[in-house]
Amino acid sequence: MTREGHSTNLIWNRLGSTTEEMYNVASKLAFSSSIRDRADTASSICTVGGEVIGSSKRSTPVLSGGNLYTTRTILADVYPPETLSPGDTIVTNDPWIVGGHLSDVAVVNPVFRDGDVLCLCSSIGHVADIGGEVGGWAIGARDVYEEGIRVPPVKLYDGGTINEDVEQFLRNNVRLEDKVMGDIEALRSANTFGEARVNEVVDDFGIGSFETAIEDITQLSTTRLRRRIAEIDDGTYVSSGDWTIRRPRADPDITFTIRLRLQIDRNAMSFDFTGTSEQVSAGINCPLGNVRGMLSYVVRSMVLSDSNKAESIDDVFQLSVPEGSIINPRRPAPTGGRHVSLFPAAYCAINALGQACPDESIAWPGGGQRIVVNGTDERGEEFIGVNSTIPPWPARANKDGISCQAFPTNVKNLPIEVMELYTPLLVRSNKLVPDTEGAGRFRSGFAQELVVHNPTNTEFAASVTSGAQNPPRGVDGGQSGCPAIVETKNGEKRLPHNGQFSFEPGETIRLRSASGGGFGRPEKREDTAIEQDLDRGLLTPTRAKEVYEYE
Amino acid sequence: MYRVGIDIGGTFTDVTALDKNNGTLVTHKEPTTPDDPSLGAFSGLKTLLHEQRVGFTDVEEVVHGTTLVSNTIIEKTGATTGLVTTAGTRDVLGIRRSLRFDLFDWHIEEPRPLVPRNRRVEIDERLDADGAVRTPIDRAEVGRAVRTLVVEHDVDSIAVSLLHSYTSSEHEEVVKGVVDETYPSVYVTLSSRVAPIIREFERTSTTVVNGYVLPVIDNYLDRFEQRLRSEGFRGSLYLMTSSGGIVSTETARREPVRLVSSGPAAGVLLSRKIGRAVGAEGVFSFDMGGTTAKGGIVEAGEIPICYEDDIGRTYRFKKGSGYTVSVPLIELSEIGAGGGSIATVDGMGMVNVGPESAGSRPGPVCYGRGGEKPTVTDAALLLGFIDEEGTFGGEIDVDRTKAEKVFDERIATPLDISLERAALEVFEVVTENMSNAFRQHATEKGVDPHELTMIAQGGAGPMTAFRVAATLGIDEIICPLGAGVGSSIGLIEAPKLYESTRTKQHLVSDISLKELTNTFDELHESAKNVLLDAGASTEDLTPEFVLGMRHANQGAEIQVALPVDSTSELSFELLERRFRETYENLYHRPALDHPVEILDFRVKLKEDIEGGEKTIRHAPVDVHRDTREVYFGTRGWVTADVRNRAGIEEDRTVGGPAIVQSEQTTVVVDPESTYTLKNNRIHVRRRVTEQ
């Protein structure tokens, strides 16, 4: 007799592999650069109960956690399994159900076997446009209605036939309608691919083993996490911070607080965000489902870092967030730039969990920066150039941070040569900035600086987002890193931290990402490590002496 | 006259000689000599020639495949290298493309740049995206930069990668001129020669890898060639590249980065050869060694090529964790699954296998070289797949008791299952992992695996193939006897091949037919020179013209092959049609109405030598027959017929369970299959299930 755990193991591997294939299908077919280049997409297989039983390991953490919430809500509140038929495709972008802002669209297909819904394939992606403000991450709206079209869970395909009313409704409410529908079709193709694969798995292993496996996967994941939590010292771990967002024009700065009490009691864990600021009338609120998904990623990475066999673990931890707060806003709060509050919530969770699991601890991360420049070049052609500076990882408990690695998202940078090929702009430099590290026994990576020049006689429109202006903090005696900067080369003109400005002929703009916090006291840093940074030209002798007490 | 293939692997150096007069092959295996691999290569060749009573003067061609390039990267034994680069870009190597290769592991490390930051010198020069000079290069400044690298940093090799050098090599050539003049003994690699492609990180990384390995390869080939010559060898020496072709030593010594994965490439060539011989439309080339398993596809005789990979992966063989190279490579899926892969049981009773491997040192437990962790090879032994007594040759004494003990302690007892079940679980997990990886690879190529014929190679390939095939729904497996020396046989079959490339962006609507033709003709000419250098004759060369195309501003370009023999046959109608066909084929959806652009031009030039079937001449061995208890799971322990090649009658189909054993390979035939010996190949076929 084959051991049950063995076939569960093999089926689990197969489902994981299937979601990787779904991910490939979606990213190959998508038009939006956020899916193709910025990896802003997630692929999963879920049970009828909404539990994730397979998910691509490349899914962006911002979205992957959302699959559970998404499928559960759709099945419980809108389309119970008995209302589904083979060939159905449900779409929704409701920020309170899917990815926290309207640009993230979930596409869900039921997988049928012998007339019953066996499981669901779910793909989420950031589409090319969703109406409302341009860009999909803007924070300027006063409510969610200004941010674009909201689609409640609805069948785009009914029994394999497209519902043209829904399609027309979508097409009429977005810019770039072909691209948007192309993105949705790409996500649907991933799901239909997944459906076929799941049926092959059932053919190979038998329906009995499959059903056992999908129950076991959740059970085993949960038990694994609970056992690991039981090994952590019981206690209450608190973490909090204030973040200030500078806004353009006459809009006042917004400062919000995230406050977290993490409680570990034997094999139970709870996150309590009581004391966190109330929702605001700028697009930086983050709906709860997104927060839950992100915490799930943080817990998985820090508590189960050595295991790839963990799926639905959300139910293991309790989450309480006051309703009406910035990370559990009531409708119709605007949520376009929801990462602005989501990431700090994640940072607090990382900080609190780090106190409980010292080896997994990292210092405070800093945010990245994005610039969009558009205009008409000298040949009369319109262009849009998007570029980013990417912050480094903060220092880790036993290691330095890595430079230019976004967290918790995953972003590929744009080569200078590609930027210059498609826009009239000139990139003067793209480099790491010495002395910007969050100092410590272990230091963060270095800030990245991008110097962009307008060599033409034409004025262009530029828009920049730099997130919060607070320096990311150090841990355990480590020093703070530095915040993001936007300025003109000679500093004569003040540029907004977040917002629009005109990029004038001959002007040169300097963008610098934040860095991250340091870990441990800088004077404890090993000499060889300091010498290496000195040798590499990333640390000046003056700073080595002043901060690290290195002679 | 003879053509000889020499393949240096991690553990063994394989030598194959082809007698061109009668098409027979003889093979030999020699332990690799890591300190100076040319020693083992040379002594292996000498032994084989001596055994065959062939003189060095009778050898017309030596085709050499070597892992020296990748080993130099993995072991960090390359030259002290410096980089000359454009002002503002010295951190390109450190910034990379920013992508995290593992989202859940927060302890990851990036590979350390082969040229540390202080050995990267910026010079104030600038080209625009169209190749126009924005800031002229100053020879005096270059002189100072070069002097700094040579005098202060003691570099032996200088890589040069300036912005937009893919449009014009002018500025880079100035740097080369200065180095050649002032420090003629220092090696120089120009990005405009090695990888004239857009995207500064990928180009710089490729250039640096080339510069880093250049002196090592140059010295090695020098020594090796001298040894051959001193024995009277008067023929030509060729090197195998990662794209499955061979080039002259001059080219190899200039662009060693093209050799990064020549070993696996040779294995795929052998698979193609066999596929052709048996008339298989599609082939799954499966190669499982001690540490990794590689899967490749051959469709209608064509081997898919990709233009970027990362080598010397530092993290669980994970894509993205190594050094990026943009050169033509045979496209393979690779995972950390081999005979030495280690099995563990986690806290929840799940068996995991790999990617950690016991490698060849300490190796599997049963080899008795100090291995303490259960491996795939140990599992195969406990299932009865491996010859324990050494009746069939082989040099390693097998320690079964020890393997049993370790499997019992680490797998069977924790899971509360029998020893054979424990071994079976390990075997099934590793074969499933390989099937999953290959299934993903095939999907990306738009191929359905179950339509393929599987060709199994490598030390562990023929032993695990039956189970991988069953999982993928493949009905036929072919195991070449002498599969253990597959790569060196593949070398014998390698054509002379070189590919020239250049990035030059144009909207299809903007480029003139003349410009298109001229660019291709220039590339054609430069590839031709490389192959003429390698002794090819013009009339045997067939070109292939390929464009990297995409919708303007789309994420990734696709490789569009243009089926013409000469550039005079090119037309815009053809470009348009081929773009649409390729796009639809790859993405399963029609191309759009958006404008289409060309990003790069490639000319692949190949000398086709269509050799006939070869016969391997084996040293005469005695017939061995035996039976052994083997465990396949479904039917409990069954008695399998075990015999060596000498004990098998040609063309007679026999039912499994059975094992065909030789010194180098173990072919396992499960109870659901039959096998037949044909032309030195074991064909394993799944029986048609009775309804």
Side-chain angles (χ1 to χ4, degrees):
Chain A
M1 253 309 283
T2 305
R3 188 174 67 97
E4 231 171 45
H6 180 48
S7 49
T8 294
N9 192 14
L10 298 183
I11 290 169
W12 199 339
N13 290 346
R14 192 81 80 85
L15 292 173
S17 176
T18 299
T19 57
E20 298 302 341
E21 291 184 275
M22 288 168 61
Y23 186 97
N24 287 345
V25 171
S27 46
K28 249 188 185 173
L29 288 177
F31 282 89
S32 134
S33 72
S34 42
I35 297 179
R36 303 183 83 125
D37 300 330
R38 304 180 69 89
D40 205 351
T41 181
S43 321
S44 305
I45 302 173
C46 303
T47 64
V48 178
E51 305 290 347
V52 176
I53 49 173
S55 59
S56 163
K57 300 294 170 280
R58 290 169 291 167
S59 294
T60 177
V62 181
L63 297 180
S64 58
N67 274 305
L68 175 140
Y69 206 74
T70 307
T71 45
R72 218 176 252 185
T73 311
I74 291 173
L75 289 166
D77 300 349
V78 190
Y79 290 113
E82 61 274 16
T83 64
L84 297 174
S85 19
D88 283 356
T89 299
I90 300 159
V91 298
T92 173
N93 71 333
D94 187 322
W96 279 263
I97 300 179
V98 188
H101 66 169
L102 293 169
S103 299
D104 293 328
V105 175
V107 178
V108 179
N109 282 37
V111 181
F112 274 81
R113 183 82 182 184
D114 303 327
D116 292 321
V117 183
L118 185 63
C119 58
L120 298 104
C121 290
S122 168
S123 300
I124 306 181
H126 186 116
V127 297
D129 186 74
I130 203 69
E133 285 186 278
V134 179
W137 291 280
I139 66 169
R142 284 162 301 178
D143 60 34
V144 73
Y145 301 108
E146 287 186 355
E147 295 184 317
I149 180 180
R150 179 150 54 103
V151 184
V154 61
K155 286 187 186 180
L156 176 63
Y157 280 80
D158 199 337
T161 311
I162 192 156
N163 184 337
E164 284 173 17
D165 296 346
V166 173
E167 189 194 353
Q168 285 314 315
F169 198 80
L170 277 168
R171 282 187 178 274
N172 279 276
N173 278 287
V174 297
R175 306 171 189 94
L176 314 167
E177 52 175 302
D178 287 339
K179 283 193 170 187
V180 173
M181 289 314 293
D183 284 340
I184 291 174
E185 284 297 328
L187 297 169
R188 179 172 173 265
S189 299
N191 288 351
T192 50
F193 184 90
E195 278 179 68
R197 276 283 188 262
V198 169
N199 270 297
E200 283 173 31
V201 177
V202 179
D203 291 343
D204 287 356
F205 290 89
I207 187 77
S209 294
F210 188 83
E211 282 175 343
T212 308
I214 62 178
E215 273 172 36
D216 286 355
I217 288 171
T218 306
Q219 181 62 42
L220 291 168
S221 302
T222 317
T223 312
R224 190 193 298 275
L225 181 61
R226 285 201 181 279
R227 282 195 194 158
R228 205 59 78 77
I229 294 171
E231 291 165 15
I232 303 173
D233 290 345
D234 284 0
T236 303
Y237 305 90
V238 287
S239 183
S240 65
D242 292 335
W243 281 267
T244 299
I245 310 300
R246 243 196 246 150
R247 290 193 293 170
R249 298 184 296 269
D251 294 335
D253 292 355
I254 297 175
T255 298
F256 64 86
T257 303
I258 304 274
R259 204 175 292 282
L260 168 65
R261 279 168 65 90
L262 163 68
Q263 191 110 31
I264 293 176
D265 182 9
R266 284 176 311 182
N267 67 359
M269 181 182 255
S270 67
F271 292 92
D272 181 353
F273 284 94
T274 303
T276 294
S277 294
E278 289 186 4
Q279 67 189 69
V280 294
S281 64
I284 59 171
N285 304 289
C286 184
L288 188 60
N290 216 217
V291 175
R292 180 173 268 287
M294 179 57 83
L295 290 180
S296 179
Y297 166 69
V298 168
V299 169
R300 210 179 133 178
S301 303
M302 294 182 75
V303 183
L304 287 176
S305 62
D306 56 341
S307 180
N308 56 8
K309 287 250 161 64
E311 302 295 346
S312 267
I313 57 163
D314 309 36
D315 290 346
V316 176
F317 56 84
Q318 296 286 313
L319 174 60
S320 75
V321 185
E323 210 189 327
S325 72
I326 195 164
I327 50 171
N328 186 11
R330 293 189 192 92
R331 294 171 196 269
T335 65
R338 50 87 172 100
H339 61 279
V340 173
S341 61
L342 173 63
F343 291 180
Y347 300 164
C348 286
I350 290 167
N351 181 256
L353 254 178
Q355 298 166 36
C357 317
D359 287 344
E360 302 297 325
S361 183
I362 64 174
W364 294 77
Q369 210 173 25
R370 189 178 302 117
I371 184 167
V372 182
V373 181
N374 68 307
T376 308
D377 68 17
E378 282 160 329
R379 288 171 302 176
E381 282 176 30
E382 249 198 83
F383 72 91
I384 295 189
V386 183
N387 212 329
S388 318
T389 65
I390 298 173
W393 271 68
R396 300 173 273 188
N398 306 302
K399 273 177 188 179
D400 289 345
I402 305 173
S403 294
C404 295
Q405 294 236 313
F407 176 86
T409 50
N410 203 14
V411 178
K412 216 172 180 178
N413 58 23
L414 184 74
I416 296 173
E417 291 174 346
V418 173
M419 175 108 179
E420 293 186 356
L421 185 63
Y422 291 106
T423 73
L425 302 172
L426 198 68
V427 180
R428 288 272 187 221
S429 77
N430 174 15
K431 62 178 188 186
L432 302 177
V433 189
D435 290 354
T436 52
E437 86 288 2
R441 178 162 176 242
F442 296 100
R443 56 152 178 78
S444 75
F446 295 85
Q448 183 193 358
E449 180 187 273
L450 203 58
V451 177
V452 186
H453 175 66
N454 176 359
T456 71
N457 296 316
T458 322
E459 181 183 306
F460 302 133
S463 157
V464 63
T465 48
S466 306
Q469 63 182 64
N470 315 65
R473 286 170 281 169
V475 163
D476 208 16
Q479 296 193 354
S480 295
C482 51
I485 291 176
V486 191
E487 59 185 23
T488 50
K489 190 63 189 289
N490 38 20
E492 85 281 12
K493 188 169 97 180
R494 189 165 175 249
L495 298 178
H497 213 64
N498 299 286
Q500 280 96 28
F501 60 93
S502 72
F503 192 175
E504 287 162 42
E507 199 169 50
T508 302
I509 300 169
R510 198 161 78 92
L511 294 155
R512 196 188 76 187
S513 74
S515 66
F519 208 111
R521 299 164 63 83
E523 58 273 21
K524 289 198 174 158
R525 185 164 175 80
E526 292 204 5
D527 283 356
T528 50
I530 297 170
E531 284 155 11
Q532 192 166 69
D533 286 342
L534 284 165
D535 276 353
R536 303 281 188 266
L538 288 166
L539 181 68
T540 57
T542 320
R543 183 167 161 91
K545 188 174 173 193
E546 280 170 8
V547 176
Y548 295 95
E549 298 177 7
Y550 174 84
E551 300 282 349
Chain B
M1 292 306 266
Y2 285 80
R3 190 177 215 216
V4 172
I6 304 174
D7 183 55
I8 302 182
T11 319
F12 288 107
T13 297
D14 300 321
V15 188
T16 301
L18 166 72
D19 184 341
K20 290 173 103 171
N21 300 328
N22 59 15
T24 54
L25 289 173
V26 283
T27 65
H28 175 76
K29 239 177 158 51
E30 181 87 8
T32 295
T33 48
D35 292 337
D36 180 358
S38 69
L39 284 176
F42 183 71
S43 66
L45 173 61
K46 207 168 169 177
T47 311
L48 179 70
L49 293 182
H50 184 75
E51 277 172 7
Q52 302 299 322
R53 297 197 184 83
V54 175
F56 273 86
T57 45
D58 296 329
V59 179
E60 202 170 54
E61 290 160 313
V62 173
V63 180
H64 191 14
T66 173
T67 51
L68 192 55
V69 173
S70 52
N71 282 346
T72 302
I73 306 286
I74 292 164
E75 286 157 20
K76 305 281 183 298
T77 48
T80 306
T81 309
L83 174 69
V84 174
T85 193
T86 304
T89 64
R90 87 196 276 212
D91 285 316
V92 157
L93 275 191
I95 291 173
R96 295 161 54 89
R97 291 302 301 277
S98 309
L99 211 62
R100 276 198 278 163
F101 55 79
D102 190 299
L103 289 175
F104 292 93
D105 187 341
W106 293 3
H107 300 276
I108 53 170
E109 297 276 13
E110 301 243 89
R112 286 190 155 239
L114 296 172
V115 175
R117 193 172 190 269
N118 48 326
R119 272 194 252 132
R120 302 177 214 148
V121 187
E122 294 184 347
I123 50 174
D124 195 15
E125 63 72 48
R126 194 65 146 82
L127 299 181
D128 280 341
D130 59 3
V133 175
R134 177 173 286 271
T135 310
I137 192 161
D138 173 10
R139 281 184 72 93
E141 190 193 357
V142 173
R144 287 192 295 275
V146 169
R147 188 162 56 246
T148 305
L149 287 177
V150 178
V151 176
E152 279 179 35
H153 296 286
D154 210 15
V155 303
D156 303 315
S157 182
I158 293 179
V160 184
S161 182
L162 305 179
L163 276 183
H164 298 297
S165 68
Y166 57 91
T167 58
S168 156
S169 61
E170 196 187 322
H171 282 189
E172 291 194 349
E173 295 288 351
V174 170
V175 181
K176 181 165 167 53
V178 169
V179 180
D180 287 351
E181 217 168 89
T182 47
Y183 302 101
S185 64
V186 171
Y187 294 82
V188 187
T189 302
L190 301 187
S191 80
S192 50
R193 292 198 189 175
V194 171
I197 46 149
I198 188 166
R199 292 183 184 107
E200 64 273 11
F201 168 67
E202 288 79 355
R203 187 179 64 253
T204 305
S205 176
T206 309
T207 310
V208 163
V209 167
N210 196 75
Y212 185 72
V213 299
L214 188 54
V216 177
I217 300 299
D218 192 50
N219 283 329
Y220 169 78
L221 287 177
D222 210 33
R223 285 198 305 276
F224 188 60
E225 199 163 0
Q226 269 179 28
R227 285 209 178 94
L228 288 176
R229 300 285 176 216
S230 68
E231 293 285 333
F233 170 66
R234 289 194 300 264
S236 311
L237 175 59
Y238 297 104
L239 272 297
M240 179 76 179
T241 68
S242 317
S243 63
I246 56 175
V247 294
S248 69
T249 47
E250 289 74 31
T251 306
R253 287 159 86 155
R254 207 168 48 228
E255 299 175 20
V257 64
R258 289 193 184 238
L259 315 183
V260 280
S261 51
S262 56
V268 180
L269 286 186
L270 178 64
S271 294
R272 172 169 70 179
K273 175 80 191 164
I274 294 170
R276 270 187 189 150
V278 302
E281 186 59 23
V283 166
F284 164 22
S285 176
F286 171 66
D287 182 345
M288 183 180 180
T291 309
T292 66
K294 298 173 198 81
I297 290 171
V298 186
E299 253 199 311
E302 289 295 317
I303 298 174
I305 299 289
C306 60
Y307 296 96
E308 193 184 302
D309 201 0
D310 58 299
I311 52 166
R313 294 182 184 171
T314 53
Y315 180 88
R316 303 165 74 96
F317 307 100
K318 197 148 188 169
K319 197 167 179 56
S321 69
Y323 297 92
T324 301
V325 290
S326 278
V327 289
L329 304 116
I330 287 186
E331 204 168 353
L332 293 168
S333 73
E334 180 174 17
I335 63 163
S341 293
I342 292 167
T344 53
V345 175
D346 71 17
M348 303 313 300
M350 300 280 116
V351 171
N352 294 309
V353 183
E356 285 74 26
S357 171
S360 54
R361 294 272 157 190
V365 179
C366 65
Y367 287 1
R369 291 177 187 152
E372 299 284 344
K373 292 175 178 168
T375 67
V376 171
T377 301
D378 297 311
L381 172 73
L382 299 182
L383 293 171
F385 297 165
I386 288 176
D387 170 31
E388 234 173 289
E389 272 90 43
T391 339
F392 293 87
E395 284 137 38
I396 293 161
D397 289 330
V398 174
D399 185 345
R400 184 189 182 90
T401 323
K402 197 152 179 218
E404 279 178 352
K405 182 165 168 285
V406 169
F407 253 80
D408 187 47
E409 280 171 14
R410 303 226 184 187
I411 316 257
T413 302
L415 293 177
D416 193 21
I417 53 176
S418 66
L419 207 55
E420 58 266 32
R421 274 281 154 198
L424 188 71
E425 283 204 18
V426 169
F427 189 75
E428 290 189 349
V429 168
V430 75
T431 47
E432 279 274 331
N433 288 350
M434 294 188 290
S435 309
N436 287 341
F438 184 72
R439 192 185 291 112
Q440 284 183 38
H441 181 69
T443 307
E444 285 213 39
K445 303 269 97 201
V447 172
D448 187 348
H450 90 251
E451 289 163 2
L452 303 174
T453 301
M454 183 169 176
I455 294 172
Q457 305 177 44
M463 186 171 78
T464 51
F466 77 93
R467 166 79 198 180
V468 175
T471 312
L472 293 171
I474 290 174
D475 294 329
E476 181 165 16
I477 306 163
I478 300 175
C479 305
L481 288 175
V485 293
S487 291
S488 71
I489 300 176
L491 292 175
I492 299 277
E493 304 291 344
K496 290 177 185 132
L497 184 152
Y498 190 84
E499 192 172 316
S500 294
T501 180
R502 185 178 309 155
T503 295
K504 227 175 170 185
Q505 181 243 4
H506 294 276
L507 281 176
V508 172
S509 52
D510 286 355
I511 191 173
S512 70
L513 202 55
K514 184 155 184 278
E515 198 173 354
L516 186 78
T517 312
N518 284 349
T519 308
F520 270 138
D521 287 344
E522 279 166 32
L523 291 171
H524 191 175
E525 196 58 29
S526 81
K528 198 164 102 184
N529 288 336
V530 169
L531 292 191
L532 293 183
D533 227 25
S537 35
T538 318
E539 60 271 24
D540 294 337
L541 299 178
T542 35
E544 200 181 311
F545 302 95
V546 182
L547 290 174
M549 301 173 85
R550 61 181 184 180
H551 283 304
N553 280 320
Q554 206 177 29
E557 55 273 19
I558 57 175
Q559 301 300 325
V560 179
L562 305 169
V564 292
D565 295 326
S566 124
T567 48
S568 59
E569 299 163 42
L570 289 172
S571 70
F572 286 113
E573 185 275 324
L574 178 75
L575 258 59
E576 172 85 16
R577 179 163 56 82
R578 286 295 300 142
F579 174 72
R580 294 197 169 272
E581 284 169 6
T582 313
Y583 194 95
E584 187 153 359
N585 198 14
L586 205 61
Y587 295 152
H588 304 285
R589 61 161 52 206
L592 308 171
D593 267 339
H594 294 306
V596 176
E597 69 179 5
I598 296 168
L599 204 63
D600 38 42
F601 294 72
R602 301 178 191 281
V603 174
K604 194 196 277 185
L605 200 60
K606 187 159 125 186
E607 181 191 51
D608 239 330
I609 40 157
E610 189 47 52
E613 270 271 63
K614 310 287 187 292
T615 323
I616 301 184
R617 212 166 65 226
H618 292 273
V621 282
D622 297 337
V623 172
H624 281 298
R625 290 194 57 169
D626 204 348
T627 57
R628 202 188 295 156
E629 294 303 296
V630 180
Y631 192 75
F632 289 101
T634 43
R635 306 183 186 183
W637 286 97
V638 292
T639 306
D641 177 63
V642 187
R643 48 181 84 188
N644 65 354
R645 194 200 157 280
I648 302 172
E649 197 180 318
E650 184 101 4
D651 283 330
R652 184 161 166 258
T653 300
V654 184
I659 289 172
V660 180
Q661 194 107 52
S662 72
E663 268 181 58
Q664 292 155 355
T665 39
T666 301
V667 181
V668 177
V669 185
D670 67 341
E672 284 75 39
S673 301
T674 63
Y675 75 93
T676 317
L677 172 71
K678 278 183 194 170
N679 290 336
N680 275 298
R681 294 186 282 263
I682 302 289
H683 291 240
V684 180
R685 278 196 194 84
R686 191 151 303 280
R687 289 184 224 246
V688 182
T689 10
E690 289 144 37
Q691 296 296 320

